[in-house]
Each structure stands twice: as structure tokens, then as C-alpha cells.
Amino acid sequence: MAESNITSDFHLEVGDHGHDDHHHHEQGFLQKYIFSQDHKIIAKQFLITGIISAIVGITFSALFRLQLAYPDTAFPFLESLLGKWAPGGIIKPEFYLAMVTMHGTIMVFFVLTAGLSGTFSNFLIPLQIGARDMASGFINMLSYWAFFISAVIMFLSIFIETGPASGGWTIYPPLSALPQAIPGSGLGMTLWLTSMVFFIASGMLGAINYITTILNLRTGGMTMDRMPLTMWAFLLTAILVVLSFPVLLSAALLLFMDRLLGTSFYLSDIFIGGEVLHHAGGSPVLFQHLFWFLGHPEVYIVLLPALGISSEVISVNSRKPIFGYKAMIGSMIGIAVLSFIVWAHHMFVTGMNPFLGTVFMLFTLIIAVPSAIKAFNYITTLWKGNIRFTPAMMFAVGLVSFFITGGITGIFLGNAALDIPLHDTYFVVAHFHLVMGSASAFGLFAGVYHWFPKMFGRMMNPRLGYIHFWFTFVGLYLVFFPQHFQGMGGVSRHYYAFTEFSFMAEFLDLSKFITYAAWFTFVGQFFFLFNFIYSIFRGKVAPANPWKSNTLEWTTPIKPQHGNWPGEIPSVYRWPYDYSKPGLKDDFCPQHIPDEELDYEDGFEPPKPVKPKEPAQTEGSKE
Amino acid sequence: MDAQSLLSLTKWLLVFIFFLVIYSMALVLRLKKIDPFKEWNPTKINGGLMMLFFIVGTIAAVWSSAYWFPKFALVLDPASEHGVSLDRMFWRTMIVSIAVVVVTHTILFYFLWRYQDRPGQKALYYPHNNKLEVIWTVVPAIVMTILIADGVRNWHDIMDPDEATKEASIDVELTGRQFQWDIRYPGVDKELGQAHVKYISGANTLGLNFDDVKTHDDILATELHLPVGVPVHVHIRSMDVLHSPTLMQFRVKMDAVPGMPTNFYFTPSVTTKEMREIKGDPEFEYEMSCQQICGGAHYNMRRVVVVETMEEYQKWLSEQKAFYTTFKEMNPGMDEGKTADAGDIKEIGTLTSTN
């Protein structure tokens, strides 16, 4: 069995030493917490780096919201904070764009990709499938450190003379290729691309590990159709990463060459800074194709883990099986496959052949079908449940709400004809901030509140969690719902000020309102930050299974050591969603307890014992 | 220290003291092991708050939508022929969307409120129902099919108009550069002459090739004038980075791509004067903006668009001077077909500068 190989890898003795194996773990601080190969430590490293990135990312948004609300007002504190980028307390247009770009890049890649998928894939995969660790602890460590280097480079780029990349997070050339066009396209852009190369490496190393681990290291009885939906979500996410990130790498390398070696992949017929450039024959549209071939799957790389987490959290806390388990898997597979053939819906009005627009509109709107299935299944899971409002549960149902409200505007934007007026307006900003930003952030929060006891052995304070939830849920709706109005009024995104056009100036009041709401939400995050840090050290000590959950991670010791289970890895006898099963005394029945050992109600005849299925090593290959 | 800063310092001090008081109260309660909220049932409170959020949120959404509705200029009062059908499609989709959001949220928040955890209550074991799954696969699929059919038809009508429209259309060229729009009309020969960045020199900032005689009557303008009811063929170029000329009220948008000319056909259907009456705003102007991030002054690439009757348009056009004529006057020594040196003709660069 694979299990025993893994065990020997980690020099972990099982069985008789189980209760007293501390002397096997005498590792130095550096080995234990910094260059750790333990998936749980790596997950925490991803989480903490993600939280730090999130602080930077949302601080940027809080600052540039000030500019949008008060375009002509000086804020002296901005000058002390940003120096030459805000002379006299008014942000410069170039730096406004830099802040928007960094906000987008950091939130999409560093927080919602690495911080979400990196954290929970690492933390949950071995624990929920019943493995000692990832298939390769070393590659896993490399994955984190590549991410760390990437983050360091990106944050360094904020402090350089010419400022960070400023061409939007989509870095369309020629703007991103020509330092003459905007100062951020100088060294800042080079650092952006370098950072992304490390980030892509990190994503690939992680994803290969996740896929291998899920397919090969499942414990006895854990067939593919008995995996929690989190595992399916992480598996599909990892597959998306492996297939799409290399394309971003190629796009970035070609852009590197255009910038540094004078090639013309994306550039042609350009007159800038008083001279005609030598570039000829390149196409900026090529870059957009390559970028969005990653960029659209990326949306689902961000969203699928959040959907997986919310499936698990909603099922546990409504004390009901997730409704339509197989339909949920099917719709996730459908979304994952479709996500590769819809990328050009970001490009309807970029001058590409209109015929392509038709094809991509067709596939794009089809995505609404699996998405609708998921939304309805979540809601049906709540029906006749016994809903416990833990903070995790509240964030999970908040996700469902955002997923619907934000997703529905996708049928406007995915429609090529309607995209002509709506493209690059605040309607788009509202759409993706709700469905990708807010929904995924809520997945992240739900995951942290739910698995915090397993991560740190202590509980987070639920009351602070509730306060945090209401601040964030109300705040995000107040921020992004009115942005639809701005979009329908024609207000354009990436605008430094709405003062120059009369139809946009009508929305200045609304802009102020949105800024207040943004600051309200921003302030609410400190409840989380305080709760998180405080509970790591001073929270209530967690019980073994605080949420009365079925999945395997709650069968480990409260603070699992290296290798997760001190003794043998438990086998699995059923799917993970048997909550409130008729005939049972408890309203849950953990996966690892065989039918004959369950506590039945009086007069209920237990089913005949069934042998656990063999580990599903061959099953994996058919995926 | 003046009174003003003393006042603001006092304010911060008060806030600080306020937090200290709260913090010490929390410490006292903890030391004495008193929990003032012990009686509160978080499930009940949060379930109730969910319902409250739904009710207040719905009222707020309805009220704010009604309040802002008259300002939705991107989806109301279209000023072009295809805009009418686009807006119709937008509002159809909007009705579907509102229905979906309202129905799902009503059910979602009702369930959250109704099925709160109660002692002794057991949830219903209800893992799947294929009939339900089929219903919510098929219904969205049908709705999407209708929307797709509608979308495809409109998209093709806009992107590929019929030959008659193409024949009848007048040409106009929009060129984007950091940070302004250049507007060029073909002049009496009704054909735009050749232009390329390699011909840029001095005041010839658009790069017209004067060897091509078709350029000789081309007109450069600072406002985009269009006759009402006549199809317009917009030729779109960029000189440096991506831009996106957007005529919001006409539902027109197409990226300007360096090295790849793009185009857009549309027919203005409402004159500026008529729109001023519709809007009840005598100051109203159609505006052209840029909607593809292009650098620092991206937010300020404005041109006024004037839609007028054919007579007014003809009159305005006849008052414009061909660029080549102006250019020759500024360069008396230049030979036919040769472009001039930069230095001596800078003044007429003002012709194309922003207003």
C-alpha cells in the first residue's frame, strides 16, 4: 500500500510508538516552520502570506476609492504615505492606475489563487483523503517558496523609482510593453513579469502535487465517488492550473522579448514619444488570446475551491447531505471544461473576427447551466435542514448569494451584442467583483472559520466572526450593487476621475457612497484580523470534532503531528455526507466508522456489514 | 498649536479613550467571568438578521434602482438604430435576471430563517432528486437558448450589416493616440487617402501619405459631425497603444489596435437637438470617450459628437478646409508629394490639439 511508503519517507513510526512519537520530530525551528515539508505548515504559510497580501491589496483599493469619491480634494496624509506619487495630497493619474493594477494583481493571484487554493488544497487534501502528506513534500515546499519569492518581487516593485506596473492586471501590450507610454511599464513591468514567472512555477508545482496526491494516495475505501466535494473542487482547480498557467508563461515570455530584445510579437506600426518604432507585423490581439486562455480558467481557479469549501460547510451546518452530490461533481466538471473554450468573451470588441464572437457567446452562456445547477443545489440543501449559524456557515451562504447576484450579470456580458455597450464599464467591475472577488473571498473566510480549529487547535471567537460577517456582507453589497447603476450610466472603468464627461459626472455622489461603503467594509476586516491572530494564541482549545463533521480530518489528534494520524490511517466506509440519516441516534456518521459500529435508534435494523472498497488507485486513472 | 489642530487632536484622544474604556470593560467582564450576552441565541439572532437583511436589502435595491433609473443613459434613449434593439434585448435579459435573483433569494433567505437549528429537530435526509435536477438543468438551458438566439441575431446585424447599408454609408476615420482622438473625413472624393505612422512628420501628425492624391482633400476636424439617418462607416486606427473609441449614446465601441485597422457601422437616429429635448437639458452633448486603459490621461480623451440634419452637416463640411491645403500654406517651399521638415511648421499643430 502507498501508505507504508509514505510513512517510511517521513521516518515516522506507526503503531506502538504512536502515543509517544515526539522524539521523532525533534526538528529545528528553521526546518519545522520555515523550510517545512509538512503540508499543514505549508498551508499556514500560504494562508499567512495570503492574508498579508490581502492587507496590501485592499489598502490600495481603500486609497484609490478616495480619489474616485473626491477627485479634486487634497488628502495631506496621502502625500506622507505615497510621497511623490501624491504631490500635495492628490494622487497622480499614473499612480492611480498603478494602484488599480496592483490591487487586481494581488487580489486575483496572491490572495484568491495562492491564498485560497494554496492554503486549503495543501491543508485539506491529505487530511480529507486520508494520506500522511502530499505525494512530494519537497515539491510542496518549493511551491511555497516560489510563491514567496514571487510575492517579494511584486511587493518590491511598489517601491521603485518609476512605480509598479500600471497597465491594468491584464497588462495588455502595447501599453505594458512601452515605457514611453506610462512610467510603470519600465522596471515595474519587468518585475511584474518576473514575479509572475515564479508565481506560475509555484502554481504548477503545487497543482501537480495536488493531482498526484488525490489520484494516488487515497486511503482504503476512499473511492473517487466518496470524496468530499472540496477534494473534487481542488482536483479540478489543479487540472485547470496545469493546463492554463503555462500559456500565461508563454505570453509573458513573448512580452519579455518584445520589451527587452526588440522582437515584434505584439507590436506593430507604433508612433510614440516623437518617433516611429521599428516594430512591425505583431498583433496586440494575440496577447489577449494568450492572456485570456489563462485568464478565464483563472476565474474558475479562484472560484471552484470556494464552491468546494461552501459545499462542505453548508452540508455540515445544515446537518443535511449536500443535495445532488453527483450533479455537483458533474457541474464542476462542466464548468472546468467550458472554462477553456470561453476565453474570447473578454474580447468581443477588440477587433477579432465577429464570427468568433458568436462561438464564444454560445459556450459562455452555456456555463450558466452548470452554475444554475450548483446554486439550486445549495438552496435545496438548506431546505428542511437544521441550520447552525456558525461564522463559516454564514460566509458560505453569503457566497451563494454573491454567486447568484454576481453570476447573473454574466449573461449580459457574455452576450456579444450587449457587450458592445457594457464592455469596460462599471457593470463589468460590479460583475466580477461580486462573482469572483466577493464569492471567493467568502469561500476563503468560510474555510478559515471552519478549519481554524484543525489548523491551530483552537477556536476562533464566533461573536467577532458574526460582526465580521455582517460588516463584510452588507459592506460588499453596498460597494458593488450600486456599481451596476454606474455601469448602466456608462461610467467607464480604469478612470482616474469621472469629472470630464457629463454623463459620468452625474454619478459622483454615488461614487462617494461607494467609497464610504468600501471603508466600512475595510474597517470590518480588522475584526477578522484581530480574531485570527488572537485566537492562534489565546482562543478556546478546540474539541476533536467541533462541528460534528463526517470527514476524515476530524479523526486526527486535535493538533495533528507530522504524518497526521499517530496510528494507522482510518479506512472509509461511506460517502462524507450522511448527516441526519434516519435510524441513527446522532445526526452525523463519520466516514471511518463501519456500519456495524454505529449507534442505531432502538428498533432500527442496521444494514448488513459491507467490506470497504479497495483503495481506488486504478479508478483515478480514468479521470 | 492652533485651535483647529488642538480640536482634532482632542477628537482622536476621545476616540482613543472610548476604545480604552470598552477594552477595560471587556477585561473586567472576563476576569469576573460574566458574559453579558449569554442569553443571546446566535442562531436566532443571525437567522433573524438574515431575514432583516433580505427585507431591507430588497427595499433598498428597489428604491435605489428607481432613484437612479433616469440616469441609465447606456440602456435608455438610444441614439442609433441598432441601439434600439440592443436596449430591448438588455431589458429583456434584465427581466430574466431580476426574476432569477428575486426568486432564488426569497427562497434562500426564507429557508435560512425557517430552518434554523432548534433543539430536538432533525434535518430531513434528502440527498438527491433527479427530477428536480433535470428541471433546473432544462429550464436555464431553454432560457439561455432564447437569449443566445437573440444575441447572435443582433450581433450579426451590427457587425455585418447588409450591402445596401455599406453602400449608403459615409466614411469617417477615428485615430487614437495618447491622449486625444483625431477625426478625419474623406473630403469631396469620398475616399480616405492612405495613412501610416511611417509618414508622420512635423504637422502631418496623422501620417497622411501625400503621394496618394486621395489624401489631398481629406479633412481633419476637432468635432465629430454626423448626419442623422445615414449609415456611418467608422474606420478606427491607433498610433501607439490600445484605445477604444466609445460613443456611449450610440452603443458604439470598438478597440483601436495599432497595426490592425478596425471598423464599425452604425446609423445615428436622433439629432443632438432632438436629444436635448428628450433629456430636457439644453446643454446636452453627445460625447466620445476612450474605454480601453491607455495611460495617465485615459480618463480625459473627450470629443464632442454632433448629430445634425443632412443640410447642416453638408454646410459644416463645406466650411472645413482640406488638411493638405493648410499644410501647403504652412510650407510654401515644399514640393508636391514631399513631406516637410518638422521645425518651421509647429504652429498648425494646434489644429489637432484637444479642445
Side-chain angles (χ1 to χ4, degrees), chain A residues 123-132 217-223 226-228 230-231 312 451 454 544-545 549-557 560 564-565 568-577 579 589-593:
Chain A
F123 191 73
L124 291 179
I125 287 176
L127 286 172
Q128 285 198 333
I129 64 169
R132 297 265 178 226
L217 297 182
R218 280 167 288 134
T219 184
M222 182 64 85
T223 52
R226 282 178 176 177
M227 291 200 307
T230 39
M231 293 299 103
E312 175 71 19
W451 282 289
K454 189 84 300 190
N545 190 354
S549 176
N550 285 343
T551 39
L552 279 184
E553 72 270 27
W554 306 105
T555 63
T556 63
N564 296 340
W565 285 269
E568 245 180 89
I569 298 178
S571 287
V572 163
Y573 297 88
R574 69 184 69 75
W575 75 326
Y577 294 111
Y579 292 102
C589 76
Q591 279 184 290
H592 69 286
I593 301 180

Side-chain angles (χ1 to χ4, degrees), chain B residues 196-217:
Chain B
H196 191 275
V197 286
K198 67 187 172 195
Y199 302 117
I200 291 175
S201 150
N204 183 10
T205 51
L206 257 183
L208 301 185
N209 176 10
F210 291 131
D211 289 341
D212 178 4
V213 288
K214 285 178 197 155
T215 60
H216 291 194
D217 61 348

Side-chain angles (χ1 to χ4, degrees), chain A residues 29 100 107 199 413 472 606 609:
Chain A
F29 176 83
V100 173
M107 295 310 275
F199 188 87
L413 298 164
T472 318

Side-chain angles (χ1 to χ4, degrees), chain A residues 181 271 324 349 354 358 380 384 386-387 401 420-421 423-424 463 470 488 495 502-503 506 534 578 584, chain B residues 30 35 46 71 74 97 105 115 117 121-122 124-125 127 136 155-156 178 239 248 253 255 287 290-291:
Chain A
F271 175 85
V349 291
T358 314
T380 316
K384 294 204 170 177
N386 196 24
I387 299 169
S401 172
I420 297 171
H423 186 75
D424 272 348
R463 282 173 191 162
W470 285 110
M488 287 187 270
Y495 263 37
S502 55
F503 63 91
E506 302 205 35
Y534 180 85
D578 266 352
L584 288 177
Chain B
R30 199 157 88 219
D35 184 350
N46 283 313
K71 293 182 177 167
L74 193 64
S97 306
H105 276 75
Y115 299 111
D117 178 29
Q121 174 181 284
K122 202 166 182 183
L124 175 74
Y125 187 82
W136 53 61
W155 172 247
H156 275 266
Q178 288 182 327
M239 280 190 184
M248 191 271 263
K253 181 184 297 148
D255 278 9
E287 291 166 298
C290 177
Q291 287 203 359

Side-chain angles (χ1 to χ4, degrees), chain B residues 315-330:
Chain B
K315 184 166 168 287
W316 173 80
L317 203 61
S318 63
E319 287 162 3
Q320 308 300 312
K321 216 169 172 185
F323 175 67
Y324 183 64
T325 319
T326 324
F327 189 78
K328 262 202 318 197
E329 282 166 11
M330 292 294 165

